[in-house]
Amino acid sequence: GKLPKKDRKQFRRAVSSHPSSVVPFKSVRAWFGRPPPQHSSLIADVCDEKDSLVQDCSLIVALHPDEATDVIVDICVARKIPFCIVPCCVFGRLFPNRKRPGSNSPVTTYQDLIEYLTAKHKSIQQTKLPFAGANIALWSIFPA
């Protein structure tokens, strides 16, 4: 899609006044791991940690990634790819093997999900975003 006209104008003005601050980037839509059963891989690329989409990236950002949440965090942790993710839905019935850290209890609430994902690596941080709802960003830059 396109930015609204007002935003395009503001973007052009910002770029023309600060051309050295523009950093090239690429945005890609892809299923992580595998597409859900009800979707076809023909709609978007499918990638895992061996895919060039992942190997060549310097950062992964995922906003409300639904079923891909675990896979994204797992790939980032395995490859030490900096990431920022804003998890949303828990999907407790789809992921019955998720267990709360230090417990055999299933992940059933949003807070359980945040704790579960944060426990995947010691460097994962939490930041509360200034809006209501699923507003916790989890992120890591995997410092040395």
Side-chain angles (χ1 to χ4, degrees):
K2 287 173 98 176
L3 286 172
K5 185 176 181 179
K6 179 182 88 169
D7 294 333
R8 286 195 313 266
K9 185 176 179 180
Q10 187 174 7
F11 177 75
R12 280 193 303 273
R13 194 175 304 139
V15 169
S16 65
S17 63
H18 302 292
S20 64
S21 66
V22 177
V23 178
F25 69 93
K26 180 179 177 184
S27 176
V28 178
R29 290 183 82 156
W31 297 111
F32 272 77
R34 59 179 163 50
Q38 68 272 27
H39 295 285
S40 166
S41 62
L42 301 176
I43 296 171
D45 290 335
V46 176
C47 69
D48 58 23
E49 66 181 276
K50 298 173 191 136
D51 194 280
S52 65
L53 286 173
V54 173
Q55 291 182 358
D56 297 341
C57 76
S58 56
L59 171 73
I60 293 180
V61 176
L63 307 176
H64 295 259
D66 292 331
E67 294 96 338
T69 302
D70 279 18
V71 178
I72 292 168
V73 174
D74 291 344
I75 287 173
C76 291
V77 166
R79 298 194 57 86
K80 302 294 186 261
I81 298 169
F83 73 94
C84 181
I85 187 168
V86 180
C88 56
C89 304
V90 176
F91 293 112
R93 283 187 247 159
L94 285 177
F95 299 101
N97 295 331
R98 287 179 178 162
K99 302 296 179 199
R100 293 174 55 203
S103 163
N104 198 26
S105 303
V107 171
T108 58
T109 68
Y110 180 70
Q111 189 57 44
D112 289 349
L113 179 62
I114 296 300
E115 291 172 11
Y116 166 79
L117 294 169
T118 302
K120 288 182 175 275
H121 195 271
K122 63 184 178 182
S123 71
I124 297 176
Q125 304 290 310
Q126 297 181 28
T127 300
K128 186 172 183 179
L129 302 173
F131 54 82
N135 63 353
I136 303 295
L138 300 178
W139 57 274
S140 180
I141 56 171
F142 298 102

